[in-house]
């Protein structure tokens, strides 16, 4: 009986694996045409500066609606694009699209600043700094209007190449943040050797900071260490007022999360900015 049970479980496991595998193959295949089929777009989520409660920047987040499978989360398709060697194509589309968008907003009288996410293949590509410089020039943007977010693990895949690229981007005047900080294995000592301006604390430490003592301890010490190394600190995943106030009290410089706004389509950004009030944090 237990052997039978085991066999059934195994069968279900194999079928589950097959289904997952099939989905992955489909997504990898169809991702190649996602750009030309206009299936991608960018969503924008604001970051708020705690010192004045004002919006200081938006993060650009990629979105894909597959024609038959519907919305595919970026955590799924970005890692597939990385593994299948298609990520540079997506990144190039993204950078072109975001800088063109900044230009459009600029022409409507709004000087917006955006952070974009980069993958390992982007930060090791020696062509990236030249490409970005070319986009800034083409769209009449200042280097401080485009910041870069890169994970520790992306940088550590090829630390020498990444350091070269990031140094060049930093020389262009771009600000660089370490994204998902705390989930990788690198030390702050390693990170400090990179031209990094900002640490973005991973949302897994932030989501329950208002109730989990351990998370609070981790975030507090990250803020203290980061500040003592001259880095700004951003918390992502701020979902309620209690967490926002707490992070403000801990000295966190910038906050991002559903409490302020979810990622929104580009068409909503200017009207959201017009309507939004200055955020205040209770102490
Ligand atoms: P990330 O860069 O760490 O982005 C933060 C993620 O947290 C986003 O998920 C955002 O929607 C979500 N988030 C923000 N505030 C909250 C909150 O209060 N609660 C919760 N539960 N979640 C919140 P999203 O948009 O699904 O993106 C997932 C990841 O996909 C990103 O993580 C980033 O690593 C990657 N990604 C997205 N767009 C791009 C892109 O254009 N290029 C690359 N290379 N990666 C991208
Ligand atoms: Mg990010
Ligand atoms: Mg993150
Ligand atoms: Mg993340």
């Amino acid at each position: 009986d237990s052997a039978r049970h085991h066999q059934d479980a195994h069968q279900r496991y194999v079928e589950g694996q097959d289904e997952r595998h099939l989905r992955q193959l489909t997504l990898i295949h169809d991702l190649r045409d996602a750009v030309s089929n206009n299936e991608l777009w960018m969503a924008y989520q604001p970051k708020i500066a705690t010192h004045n409660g004002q919006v200081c920047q938006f993060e650009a987040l990629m979105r894909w609606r597959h024609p038959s499978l519907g919305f595919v989360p970026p955590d799924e398709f970005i890692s597939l694009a990385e593994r299948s060697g298609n990520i540079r194509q997506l990144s190039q589309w993204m950078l072109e699209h975001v800088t063109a968008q900044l230009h459009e907003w600029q022409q409507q009288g709004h000087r917006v600043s955006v952070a974009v996410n980069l993958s390992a293949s982007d930060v090791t590509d020696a062509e990236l700094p030249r490409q970005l410089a070319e986009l800034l020039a083409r769209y009449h943007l200042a280097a401080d209007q485009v910041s870069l977010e890169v994970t520790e693990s992306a940088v550590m895949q090829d630390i020498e190449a990444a350091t070269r690229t990031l140094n060049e981007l930093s020389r262009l005047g771009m600000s660089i943040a370490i994204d998902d900080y705390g989930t990788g294995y690198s030390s702050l000592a390693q990170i400090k050797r990179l031209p990094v301006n900002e640490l973005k604390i991973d949302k897994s430490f932030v989501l329950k900071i208002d109730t989990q003592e351990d998370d609070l301890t981790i975030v507090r010490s990250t803020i203290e260490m980061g500040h003592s190394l001259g880095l700004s600190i951003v918390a992502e995943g701020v979902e309620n007022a209690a967490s926002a106030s707490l992070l403000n009290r801990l000295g966190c410089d910038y906050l991002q999360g559903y409490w302020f706004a979810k990622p929104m389509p580009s068409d909503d950004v200017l009207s959201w900015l017009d309507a939004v009030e200055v955020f205040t944090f209770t102490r």
Side-chain angles (χ1 to χ4, degrees):
D1 196 36
S2 127
R4 176 62 194 270
H5 177 80
H6 187 81
Q7 204 184 351
D8 287 350
H10 182 74
Q11 184 68 30
R12 275 197 306 278
Y13 174 77
V14 169
E15 278 164 12
Q17 287 286 85
D18 281 354
E19 241 168 72
R20 261 191 300 282
H21 195 209
L22 185 62
R23 177 176 164 98
Q24 288 183 352
L25 291 177
T26 309
L27 293 179
I28 288 171
H29 176 269
D30 296 349
L31 203 45
R32 287 187 208 131
D33 298 323
V35 169
S36 53
N37 290 349
N38 280 320
E39 291 162 11
L40 300 176
W41 79 99
M42 300 303 294
Y44 296 86
Q45 186 182 31
K47 289 187 200 173
I48 283 78
T50 50
H51 75 92
N52 61 7
Q54 287 181 8
V55 178
C56 56
Q57 195 182 50
F58 287 83
E59 179 177 15
L61 295 156
M62 201 181 287
R63 297 290 178 256
W64 180 25
R65 190 174 304 285
H66 184 278
S68 59
L69 298 171
F71 179 77
V72 184
D75 277 327
E76 184 177 14
F77 74 78
I78 294 285
S79 71
L80 290 175
E82 281 167 351
R83 284 193 275 148
S84 65
N86 192 28
I87 189 71
R88 286 297 289 136
Q89 188 212 355
L90 293 189
S91 299
Q92 270 161 12
W93 172 83
M94 181 274 283
L95 292 171
E96 158 76 45
H97 188 84
V98 167
T99 48
Q101 180 66 69
L102 287 175
H103 179 69
E104 195 185 310
W105 284 331
Q106 196 129 295
Q107 294 208 306
Q108 297 171 52
H110 293 263
R111 190 186 192 277
V112 178
S113 153
V114 161
V116 296
N117 293 283
L118 298 179
S119 298
S121 331
D122 300 317
V123 284
T124 53
D125 187 342
E127 288 294 298
L128 182 72
R130 195 192 49 74
Q131 273 168 14
L132 271 165
E134 204 268 319
L135 286 170
L136 294 179
R138 189 196 309 167
Y139 291 117
H140 309 289
L141 303 171
D144 67 1
Q145 283 178 274
V146 183
S147 307
L148 310 168
E149 296 189 1
V150 52
T151 61
E152 323 169 42
S153 55
V155 173
M156 297 308 158
Q157 272 186 33
D158 183 347
I159 178 103
E160 276 168 34
T163 305
R164 272 196 302 274
T165 311
L166 293 179
N167 274 328
E168 269 189 67
L169 292 165
S170 176
R171 268 198 299 275
L172 286 175
M174 297 181 152
S175 172
I176 296 161
I178 297 294
D179 206 345
D180 300 352
Y181 181 72
T183 59
Y185 297 98
S186 48
S187 64
L188 267 182
Q190 278 175 302
I191 285 175
K192 240 339 250 188
R193 271 183 244 129
L194 300 164
V196 167
N197 312 85
E198 193 173 276
L199 291 183
K200 203 165 176 189
I201 303 175
D202 191 69
K203 58 178 177 290
S204 58
F205 305 106
V206 176
L207 287 170
K208 294 186 215 119
I209 193 174
D210 55 326
T211 55
Q212 301 281 313
E213 196 69 37
D214 288 353
D215 291 342
L216 178 65
T217 306
I218 292 168
V219 170
R220 179 192 287 122
S221 63
T222 305
I223 293 173
E224 279 168 13
M225 272 194 300
H227 277 167
S228 64
L229 292 170
L231 302 167
S232 315
I233 313 291
V234 192
E236 63 174 29
V238 182
E239 291 194 348
N240 58 51
S243 301
S245 300
L246 192 51
L247 287 156
N248 176 44
R249 227 156 40 228
L250 295 177
C252 194
D253 303 286
Y254 306 102
L255 306 180
Q256 184 181 27
Y258 296 169
W259 171 248
F260 303 100
K262 289 195 169 177
M264 60 186 94
S266 59
D267 282 353
D268 293 353
V269 167
L270 292 187
S271 52
W272 185 85
L273 272 176
D274 266 348
V276 75
E277 317 244 338
V278 170
F279 290 98
T280 52
F281 309 102
T282 51
R283 286 214 154 241

